Amino acid sequence: MTIIVSELDLGTPGGLRVAVKDTIDVEGVATRASSPALEDSAVPQRHADVVANLLTAGAHLTAKVSLHELAFGTTGINRHVGTAANPRFPGRIPGGSSSGSAAVVAAGLADFSLGTDTGGSVRIPACCCGVFGLKPSFGRVSRAGVMPEHTTLDCVGPFANSLPMLEIAMGMIDPSYRPSPIPDRPTIGVLQVSARAEVAATVAQALLRSGLPVQDLAFEHFTAAYEAGMVIINRETYQACGHLLQSQKVGADVAARLSAAAMTDEAAVARAEHTRRLFSAEVDQALTRFDVIALPTMPDFPLRLEEAGDTSAVLGMTALVRPFNLSGHPALSLPLASECGLPVGLQLVGAKGKDAQLLAAAQRVLMNIYGARS
């Protein structure tokens, strides 16, 4: 099980055990993003803001953990540092790019962990590993000291084995965060999307068991937002990491994606930004009618490792998550179990800046489904 890339012992002994993705700076520890191309990178001289906040809040930082190389992939497969085993669903991919961050929580090696989410990289591994994962509102949590330096999509977000622990994590990394009261009957807009029948049924049955008011919802620009999100990811990742191709040390799968990303032109970026405005407004409008939007996190079950070798062929895994990176809305993956025992994620999306209200609504959903705090 390859999860931990650097063992740490920082902060308060006996405090909550926290692991962080190796794109997040820890003073005196190289940030290598699980890539041989960064083996000689300079050692950070200060903590990322989120790390400093964790230590101030009394956390015990225990490890930096592995990821899909350069955070540019969805499976979590990494042939350089090794692929984090999926603790709860052996033989299945851990998901990417924050594979180690999800796996370390699923394995019980941390009370919570931090990953980053540019196009689903918290929510996808959370779903694959059967844990909770939150992508906060864009810009809510400081990214100072987090790779890449410049982004219009990426968010630092926590993984945990329960919603209450996820909320504790948010309070530690964002000192402005305050919990919101759990609502009695939040309204849910159920986004109509294409997904495997068993996945769709698992989500539909969970929402039915919640007994909460639901109404079907459709977005005109959802598919275009997925495609536009890929354009922006390609442009911004190439700007951040394209120079590493010269080292000839980038893994073949990521190198191929970076080389293709170099071809992203200004016209495509302009069209993507236009779609961003349209889709963001569409989601904002829907969230004046509903407290949250619900849909599956992934359209299918996590692939087996032997099925997931071609990174470009599995990008469809992010079809239901990436649009909300483009729009900047907070989004959360809750673990559900299908009848066959494989993991399904229930994704809930909230209004921008209303992260606490999103978590509170999610708590009500789970309390209604299971009859207790989850």
Side-chain angles (χ1 to χ4, degrees), residues 64 73 79 81 101 108 112 141-142 154 166 180 197 224 230-231 256 300 302 323 372:
K64 297 192 82 174
R79 294 177 178 84
V81 301
S101 301
F112 69 87
V141 176
S142 173
D154 193 46
L166 206 64
S180 182
M230 193 71 255
V231 171
D300 205 340

Side-chain angles (χ1 to χ4, degrees), residues 14-196:
L16 291 175
R17 300 166 302 154
V18 183
V20 299
K21 186 177 183 177
D22 193 22
T23 55
I24 299 173
D25 284 350
V26 174
E27 181 182 341
V29 182
T31 299
R32 296 196 172 103
S34 292
S35 176
L38 292 173
E39 283 180 342
D40 298 323
S41 58
V43 174
Q45 299 303 301
R46 57 167 291 175
H47 295 311
D49 283 358
V50 287
V51 171
N53 289 343
L54 284 171
L55 297 177
T56 298
H60 181 203
L61 196 62
T62 61
K64 297 192 82 174
V65 291
S66 60
L67 58 140
H68 199 116
E69 185 178 1
L70 299 178
F72 202 30
T74 60
T75 63
I77 293 173
N78 189 309
R79 294 177 178 84
H80 171 58
V81 301
T83 300
N86 188 327
R88 296 181 180 171
F89 303 96
R92 301 278 168 171
I93 59 170
S97 63
S98 305
S99 49
S101 301
V104 75
V105 168
L109 300 176
D111 294 303
F112 69 87
S113 66
L114 298 186
T116 61
D117 191 315
T118 307
S121 289
V122 166
R123 290 158 289 160
I124 292 295
C127 179
C128 290
C129 292
V131 299
F132 295 79
L134 171 68
K135 179 197 81 69
S137 299
F138 179 77
R140 166 120 203 189
V141 176
S142 173
R143 293 192 67 267
V146 179
M147 176 186 173
E149 183 177 0
H150 301 292
T151 178
T152 65
L153 301 169
D154 193 46
C155 305
V156 177
F159 294 85
N161 280 315
S162 71
L163 272 177
M165 183 58 72
L166 206 64
E167 193 146 56
I168 289 169
M170 277 298 291
M172 293 178 109
I173 64 175
D174 174 11
S176 72
Y177 182 87
R178 299 291 182 274
S180 182
I182 297 173
D184 289 332
R185 288 182 62 78
T187 55
I188 302 174
V190 182
L191 187 60
Q192 300 304 291
V193 296
S194 177
R196 182 185 182 117

Side-chain angles (χ1 to χ4, degrees), residues 37 244-250:
L244 297 175
L245 289 171
Q246 298 173 11
S247 72
Q248 298 186 330
K249 293 182 178 181
V250 179

Side-chain angles (χ1 to χ4, degrees), residues 239-330:
Q239 288 175 335
C241 300
H243 66 285
L244 297 175
L245 289 171
Q246 298 173 11
S247 72
Q248 298 186 330
K249 293 182 178 181
V250 179
D253 63 329
V254 175
R257 287 194 66 197
L258 278 174
S259 296
M263 308 304 293
T264 307
D265 60 32
E266 294 300 329
V269 172
R271 290 192 295 271
E273 292 294 354
H274 179 65
T275 298
R276 190 202 298 258
R277 291 188 290 273
L278 292 175
F279 180 66
S280 182
E282 192 172 26
V283 180
D284 287 343
Q285 177 59 36
L287 287 166
T288 66
R289 299 164 47 209
F290 302 105
D291 293 305
V292 293
I293 296 165
L295 67 160
T297 303
M298 289 173 53
D300 205 340
F301 298 128
L303 294 170
R304 297 195 60 81
L305 285 164
E306 62 269 20
E307 300 170 328
D310 183 356
T311 301
S312 61
V314 297
L315 289 176
M317 290 169 54
T318 64
L320 308 182
V321 289
R322 185 183 302 149
F324 301 107
N325 291 89
L326 189 75
S327 68
H329 293 84

Side-chain angles (χ1 to χ4, degrees), residues 211-225:
L212 295 172
V214 300
Q215 182 177 333
D216 287 349
L217 171 67
F219 285 143
E220 178 183 354
H221 302 290
F222 189 73
T223 300

Side-chain angles (χ1 to χ4, degrees), residues 30 203 237 271:
V203 168
T237 304
R271 290 192 295 271

